[in-house]
Amino acid sequence: MSIWEDLGTVPHALSYVNVGGVRTRVLQAGSGPDLVLLHGTGGHLEAYARNVGGLAESFRVTAYDMVGHGWSSLPDHPYTIDVLSAHLVGLMDALGIARAHLSGESLGGWVAAWTAAHSPARVDRLVLNTPGNIANKPEVMERLTASTLAAVTDPSDETVRRRVEWLFHDKSLVTDELVRLRQAVYTRPGYLEAVRNVLVLQNPETRARFSWDPSWVGRVSAPTLLLWTDHDPTGGLDEAKMLLGWLPNAELTVISGAGHWPQWEKPAEFLAEHRRFLR
């Protein structure tokens, strides 16, 4: 199934929005309560191509490329969690969204939770989708850094496919189209410099300022669905349960047969959980 087949019958608008000088690519569809979708490290809004149609039946869905990602601007400074969160809040301001549900995958989950802790008035409910490496394991940080840099410095079919396959449990679901999309992002002018600003969060010293920790996670008052999988390469259920214990008002759901991208591998389950929890 192509991304454009998934979106083919879904009325949507793709545009660029100026967010404090950052040209930001945005896709919007549907009507109802606002739901903002946040992708992961090195990602782009097409990560949710299989979900926008179903979610748009119940929500006004906004998916976007975070600063330094996808086809948004690539300013030359580190894209730390506070920077990514400020960009999200700025985007909501620019779109006239006072308050929204946030659903973030991997890095996007980290940004969503940080925003809920530091700007609670802007967040209704929260879905943290495989937020990843809660325990700050060095081997996970090194693996993500190495595979991403390899794909950006040598954007061949083989290295980029290997980077995308890392996200999946069923690697047969990685399409040529997904690989080409990543190649297009990784070969943008200036992206080699930008990816070092993206990967700064895999540096232990920088990461320590924003690491998942009860001191700030405990401030998340928004009802939270912690969405995990049984084959997440960044962390097992022990980390999910650790995070669950830090969140004041949260529940845990595990999707079977998926890796780090359950929204793509198991779209029906992903949609059902969002409809159940966010309504």
Side-chain angles (χ1 to χ4, degrees), residues 248-267:
N249 185 11
E251 62 179 84
L252 171 66
T253 292
V254 179
I255 294 179
S256 299
H260 204 50
W261 261 30
Q263 78 276 9
W264 191 281
E265 290 193 89
K266 299 289 181 180

Side-chain angles (χ1 to χ4, degrees), residues 98-109:
R99 185 177 176 87
H101 302 309
L102 303 181
S103 178
E105 178 263 335
S106 192
L107 172 63

Side-chain angles (χ1 to χ4, degrees), residues 152-277:
V152 174
T153 55
D154 172 24
S156 64
D157 287 357
E158 182 182 2
T159 55
V160 174
R161 181 173 292 276
R162 189 180 306 124
R163 173 64 176 82
V164 178
E165 285 181 346
W166 179 77
L167 302 166
F168 284 69
H169 172 55
D170 181 357
K171 301 186 188 320
S172 70
L173 295 176
V174 176
T175 64
D176 292 343
E177 185 182 33
L178 270 180
V179 174
R180 286 196 299 274
L181 271 170
R182 285 288 171 128
Q183 283 177 314
V185 170
Y186 290 170
T187 56
R188 285 184 62 196
Y191 195 78
L192 182 57
E193 293 75 20
V195 77
R196 300 188 190 283
N197 289 321
V198 169
L199 292 173
V200 71
L201 288 166
Q202 307 310 318
N203 177 295
E205 291 183 5
T206 303
R207 189 185 186 92
R209 295 164 47 203
F210 305 99
S211 291
W212 293 93
D213 184 278
S215 65
W216 68 266
V217 175
R219 294 164 52 188
V220 175
S221 57
T224 302
L225 172 63
L226 183 53
L227 202 59
W228 216 265
T229 71
D230 55 354
H231 291 87
D232 186 346
T234 69
L237 279 176
D238 56 330
E239 293 191 26
K241 291 174 182 174
M242 181 169 68
L243 181 55
L244 186 66
W246 297 345
L247 288 161
N249 185 11
E251 62 179 84
L252 171 66
T253 292
V254 179
I255 294 179
S256 299
H260 204 50
W261 261 30
Q263 78 276 9
W264 191 281
E265 290 193 89
K266 299 289 181 180
E269 291 89 335
F270 182 87
L271 176 60
E273 285 298 323
H274 279 69
R275 283 178 171 166
R276 177 189 66 81
F277 183 74

Side-chain angles (χ1 to χ4, degrees), residues 14 17 42 52 60 68 78 93 98 126 134 138 142 182 184 195-196 208 224 230 238 253 278:
L14 186 66
V17 176
V52 169
R60 182 169 71 164
D93 288 343
L126 193 60
I134 306 303
E142 290 168 6
R182 285 288 171 128
V195 77
R196 300 188 190 283
T224 302
D230 55 354
D238 56 330
T253 292
L278 298 180

Side-chain angles (χ1 to χ4, degrees), residues 32-46:
D34 279 294
L35 168 62
V36 181
L37 306 174
L38 297 89
H39 59 73
T41 298
H44 40 79
L45 61 82
E46 285 83 358

